[in-house]
Amino acid sequence: MKKLVLLACLAVAAGANAQTYPTNRPISIVVPFAAGGPTDRVARDLAEAMRKAIPGSNFVVENAAGAGGTIGANKVAKAAPDGQTLLLFHVGMATTPVMYRKLTYKPLEDFEYLGIVNDVPMTLIGKPQLPANTYRDFENYIRANAGKLNLAHAGQGSASHLCGLMWQSAVKLNESMTTIPFGGTAPAMNALVGGQVDVMCDQTTNTVGQIEGGRVKAFAVTTARPLSGHKTLKDYPTLQEMGLKGFNLTIWHGLYAPKGTPAAITKILNEGMKKALKDPDFIKKQEGLGAIVATDNRVTPEGHKAFVAAEINKIRPVFEAAKAFAD
């Protein structure tokens, strides 16, 4: 009898949570990177679409950058589980538990998974002064200049770090280039455009404008299939076409709430997110950045969590082989 009463109370509480959510307070989407970067752009587009999808809501983006995304992720993991603080994180949700030995949160245990938002292809790009114009010439140039060139990335655990590691491993160039970490995507890109570094592999959300402006040279995309529907990237080959069999890397973004957020609230957020992903304006903005809006089972909490668990297992051997660990 007591058990039935308890279950009834929980049901009433869940219903009350649903009726009072969203509140009149802004809902923060924490981006664990600096403003203006690729993940920040996705978050701001998503916040606008979710405002339209959830009546009475007001979503704002909050940047909490540092330590490869772990500062912002930890902030949300430790936040009150009331639906007022969310996290938008990319593939770093899978790289950080592999890379950091002393991670202050557990990605698979300390969050409620709300769904995957999109997949963002990567582009292999070089400074404008590079003499190569095709991927084949580019790879040959690097081999011919082993030890003289450098590869930039946006910091340990970043999307560009992961892509650089996977590409170097696939083409067996691990000792041919010097890796240079930066404190974010913007300074890394600025160094590439300015010719201070030679090569970078970054998300299309950050590279398309630079490619279209002629400020960098593009050589290939990282998807399994060519991006034939994109006005700028349709002319570039995939790394798989260039002989790197099985190379397929997209940088996905997912939405999370602190562990313990009531099911009634996570349901509202998940349903709102799924509506936002069908918003024509959101889809158009994402397509303009080269991103692919998620439509598969990963938009469900269960599918999202299973996907991240599989990504951790896929990424682990890449980081272990490169000894890319941090305290």
Side-chain angles (χ1 to χ4, degrees):
M1 186 61 150
K2 290 182 178 179
K3 186 175 181 180
L4 290 174
V5 172
L6 176 60
L7 290 173
C9 290
L10 289 173
V12 170
N17 282 326
Q19 291 171 6
T20 58
Y21 186 84
T23 68
N24 57 4
R25 291 183 292 147
I27 300 169
S28 293
I29 298 180
V30 175
V31 174
F33 304 105
T39 302
D40 181 70
R41 296 180 190 182
V42 174
R44 292 181 190 279
D45 290 346
L46 182 66
E48 181 180 345
M50 288 188 71
R51 273 195 293 269
K52 292 190 286 182
I54 301 177
S57 67
N58 179 24
F59 287 84
V60 297
V61 174
E62 177 185 348
N63 298 93
T70 61
I71 290 175
N74 183 66
K75 177 178 178 144
V76 177
K78 303 298 189 291
D82 56 6
Q84 295 299 134
T85 307
L86 310 178
L87 172 70
L88 185 78
F89 205 177
H90 62 25
V91 69
M93 191 60 116
T95 60
T96 52
V98 174
M99 187 177 70
Y100 287 93
R101 295 185 177 94
K102 298 177 182 178
L103 200 60
T104 54
Y105 59 90
K106 297 178 180 179
L108 294 175
E109 298 177 23
D110 292 345
F111 298 92
E112 301 293 345
Y113 281 60
L114 299 175
I116 291 290
V117 174
N118 66 8
D119 291 288
V120 183
M122 305 287 281
T123 43
L124 191 62
I125 55 178
K127 66 182 182 182
Q129 298 90 343
L130 283 180
N133 291 308
T134 67
Y135 175 80
R136 190 63 63 211
D137 289 344
F138 169 69
E139 188 177 313
N140 289 337
Y141 177 76
I142 291 173
R143 294 187 188 281
N145 291 273
K148 300 177 183 178
L149 306 177
N150 48 56
L151 174 73
H153 66 73
Q156 285 197 315
S158 65
S160 50
H161 184 207
L162 173 63
C163 187
L165 286 176
M166 291 185 69
W167 172 66
Q168 288 182 94
S169 176
V171 294
K172 298 179 172 55
L173 287 172
N174 301 69
E175 298 179 1
S176 297
M177 305 182 74
T178 301
T179 300
I180 301 180
F182 285 82
T185 300
M189 181 62 75
N190 288 338
L192 185 71
V193 171
Q196 287 85 43
V197 293
D198 303 297
V199 181
M200 188 174 175
C201 185
D202 202 9
Q203 301 174 64
T204 56
T205 46
N206 197 49
T207 62
V208 167
Q210 304 291 354
I211 296 168
E212 291 176 343
R215 291 180 288 274
V216 299
K217 284 187 174 182
F219 299 104
V221 295
T222 64
T223 48
R225 297 176 182 174
L227 299 176
S228 55
H230 194 275
K231 63 175 183 177
T232 301
L233 303 174
K234 64 182 180 180
D235 297 325
Y236 296 101
T238 68
L239 288 173
Q240 191 160 226
E241 288 176 318
M242 293 293 97
L244 306 187
K245 300 300 181 184
F247 198 105
N248 180 18
L249 177 63
T250 59
I251 301 303
W252 41 268
H253 292 84
L255 192 63
Y256 309 82
K259 186 69 175 178
T261 301
I265 291 178
T266 60
K267 183 179 180 181
I268 291 171
L269 288 167
N270 173 254
E271 290 178 350
M273 187 200 79
K274 287 191 285 190
K275 287 181 182 178
L277 299 189
K278 295 178 182 178
D279 184 310
D281 290 337
F282 179 76
I283 293 171
K284 184 177 180 180
K285 288 177 181 178
Q286 295 303 292
E287 288 178 345
L289 296 170
I292 303 162
V293 176
T295 58
D296 55 17
N297 184 55
R298 296 173 304 159
V299 301
T300 67
E302 300 78 16
H304 180 190
K305 190 169 186 177
F307 173 70
V308 173
E311 287 288 279
I312 291 172
N313 290 333
K314 182 178 82 173
I315 290 167
R316 189 179 301 280
V318 177
F319 275 80
E320 288 179 344
K323 295 182 173 58
F325 301 114
D327 292 328

